Amino acid sequence: MKRLDLTLYGVLDPAQCGERPIADLAAAAVGGGATAIQLRDKSGSARSTIEAVAALKGALTGRDVPIIVNDRVDVAHASGADGVHVGQDDLPPAAARAILGPKAIVGVTVRTDDEARATDLEPADYVGLGGVFATDSKINETVPIGTKGVARIGAILRSRKPGIGILAIAGINKANAASVISAGADGVAVLSALFGADDPVAAAKDLRGVIDPYLGEAAG
Amino acid sequence: MKRLDLTLYGVLDPAQCGERPIADLAAAAVGGGATAIQLRDKSGSARSTIEAVAALKGALTGRDVPIIVNDRVDVAHASGADGVHVGQDDLPPAAARAILGPKAIVGVTVRTDDEARATDLEPADYVGLGGVFATDSKINETVPIGTKGVARIGAILRSRKPGIGILAIAGINKANAASVISAGADGVAVLSALFGADDPVAAAKDLRGVIDPYLGEAAG
């Protein structure tokens, strides 16, 4: 199983990639410094998502970059992905862990202070925390928490499970990534800032250039 | 794990049940003679489908009637359902079996002669064969195979795996159920003929009354 490094976590949605093959986009992002790839395919069939994971695995052969499947724990298992990310309406983290086993990566979404207190963190390796900022990539069902929310909710999560990874998500780009890391996140999840860019290699490099100086000196 | 009896297999789609609670509908159908219940929820979240399985389990406590989840193998596992039904675009049967273990029920859809020859039947307990007749319940992506198709494709399937269950599906009702059983099916899957009826108990009884005399003397 691959090492989990949340620094620059690219969320790849085939429906938003247009004509560009997702394997090429993932390889470019990783070439520029992305440390994890999540496949979020809300419209494809299970079979097509399994094939997409296979394509990503091929593109990332030899790279210590995990491939994480959104929502579908069965697809993660069948495709040999490195892990799964579940939202509050998906399988509970413990149910995901029961299917995928102890070595898989399991992430869970937390959107509010209440969810930070109520979510079962024990089976989770990291939390996708947000939405942090407003975004068009995914409809924010909850009010954006901002960098203050990252610091406040991140502290709740770490008090419940020291060392759990905190991945900030939604509306994060080159201009605001440093503020999110300074607020205590271990990394940022990016969609359009990476895969919507004309040059994903350059976009990833730019994001790493902004993030890396702030990692390790966080408030969290 | 519950015994698999395909005789009268009710397919329950919460989106088509209107105001009627699915647990009540399932209990009524089983009270009238349904032998298996499939939950096909294409619009709900994984969490809501897990809750729906729990409601069905509560309604069918003490009955030897399995609950089978459509498509989502992870939901079947997390909810403690008795099995899963996968289509040609869902997880492969072997991947479903790998998650659910040897005791679970695994069914797979076969629509054509070619699929009957190509589908991995080894991990499957039964085949959902069809569409047999035209139907509004689900868009038939392939030409209805009719009762001749049930006999012909059923023979292919049984030559490849003797004893595999043959469940005829699509457009089956009181008027044509006997012809499908006579053609060699072990049972019929019904949607609207059962759960669209004003009285699902009576509808199930009527269907059993038509089917049962033809079971055991089939051509297959």
Side-chain angles (χ1 to χ4, degrees):
Chain A
M1 208 54 70
K2 304 285 179 72
R3 187 175 57 98
L4 178 62
D5 175 350
L6 296 171
T7 304
L8 181 57
Y9 177 117
V11 180
L12 195 49
D13 180 347
Q16 294 184 18
C17 291
E19 297 291 308
R20 299 194 285 182
I22 59 166
D24 294 354
L25 285 169
V30 169
T35 56
I37 299 290
Q38 180 192 120
L39 180 64
R40 177 156 73 188
D41 185 357
K42 292 292 190 188
S43 55
S45 69
R47 201 71 71 101
S48 69
T49 309
I50 291 169
E51 289 165 7
V53 172
L56 292 177
K57 288 172 80 168
L60 301 182
T61 301
R63 305 298 302 247
D64 192 21
V65 172
I67 298 166
I68 295 167
V69 171
N70 185 277
D71 176 12
R72 294 285 306 236
V73 184
D74 48 0
V75 168
H77 188 277
S79 64
D82 301 288
V84 73
H85 185 94
V86 289
Q88 294 282 331
D89 293 330
D90 300 332
L91 260 67
R97 175 67 69 199
I99 291 172
L100 296 179
K103 291 181 182 174
I105 296 167
V106 174
V108 60
T109 298
V110 164
R111 298 167 296 187
T112 65
D113 295 66
D114 286 348
E115 286 180 0
R117 293 185 192 98
T119 300
D120 181 14
L121 301 178
E122 192 278 320
D125 298 298
Y126 76 92
V127 165
L129 178 57
V132 178
F133 304 115
T135 173
D136 291 333
S137 296
K138 187 186 175 187
I139 296 163
N140 274 325
E141 295 160 337
T142 45
V143 177
I145 61 174
T147 53
K148 286 185 181 174
V150 171
R152 184 183 71 249
I153 301 177
I156 296 170
L157 294 165
R158 288 189 174 114
S159 73
R160 293 190 56 218
K161 184 171 181 179
I164 194 166
I166 306 289
L167 175 69
I169 187 162
I172 296 170
N173 54 42
K174 201 166 59 171
N176 60 28
S179 69
V180 172
I181 301 295
S182 293
D186 297 305
V188 297
V190 285
L191 293 80
S192 55
L194 202 48
F195 300 116
D198 289 333
D199 182 348
V201 179
K205 282 184 181 172
D206 284 353
L207 282 157
R208 287 297 299 263
V210 170
I211 294 165
D212 288 8
Y214 290 88
L215 279 173
E217 62 168 47
Chain B
M1 209 53 69
K2 305 286 179 72
R3 186 175 58 98
L4 178 62
D5 174 351
L6 296 171
T7 304
L8 182 57
Y9 177 115
V11 180
L12 195 49
D13 180 346
Q16 294 184 18
C17 292
E19 296 291 307
R20 300 194 287 183
I22 59 165
D24 295 354
L25 286 169
V30 169
T35 57
I37 298 290
Q38 181 192 118
L39 180 64
R40 177 157 71 188
D41 185 358
K42 292 292 191 188
S43 54
S45 68
R47 201 71 70 101
S48 69
T49 309
I50 291 169
E51 288 165 7
V53 172
L56 293 176
K57 288 172 79 168
L60 302 182
T61 301
R63 306 298 301 248
D64 192 22
V65 172
I67 298 165
I68 295 167
V69 172
N70 184 277
D71 175 13
R72 293 286 305 235
V73 184
D74 49 359
V75 169
H77 188 277
S79 64
D82 301 288
V84 73
H85 185 92
V86 289
Q88 293 283 331
D89 293 331
D90 300 333
L91 260 67
R97 176 67 70 199
I99 291 172
L100 296 180
K103 292 181 181 174
I105 296 166
V106 173
V108 61
T109 297
V110 163
R111 298 167 295 186
T112 64
D113 296 66
D114 286 347
E115 286 180 359
R117 294 186 192 98
T119 300
D120 181 15
L121 301 178
E122 191 278 320
D125 298 299
Y126 76 93
V127 165
L129 178 58
V132 178
F133 304 116
T135 173
D136 291 334
S137 294
K138 188 186 175 187
I139 297 163
N140 274 325
E141 296 160 339
T142 46
V143 177
I145 60 174
T147 53
K148 286 185 181 175
V150 171
R152 184 184 70 249
I153 301 177
I156 296 170
L157 294 165
R158 288 188 174 115
S159 74
R160 293 191 55 218
K161 184 172 181 178
I164 193 165
I166 306 288
L167 176 70
I169 187 163
I172 296 169
N173 54 42
K174 201 166 57 170
N176 59 27
S179 70
V180 172
I181 301 295
S182 294
D186 297 304
V188 297
V190 286
L191 292 79
S192 54
L194 202 48
F195 300 116
D198 288 335
D199 183 348
V201 178
K205 282 183 180 171
D206 285 352
L207 281 157
R208 287 298 298 264
V210 170
I211 295 166
D212 288 7
Y214 291 89
L215 278 174
E217 60 167 47

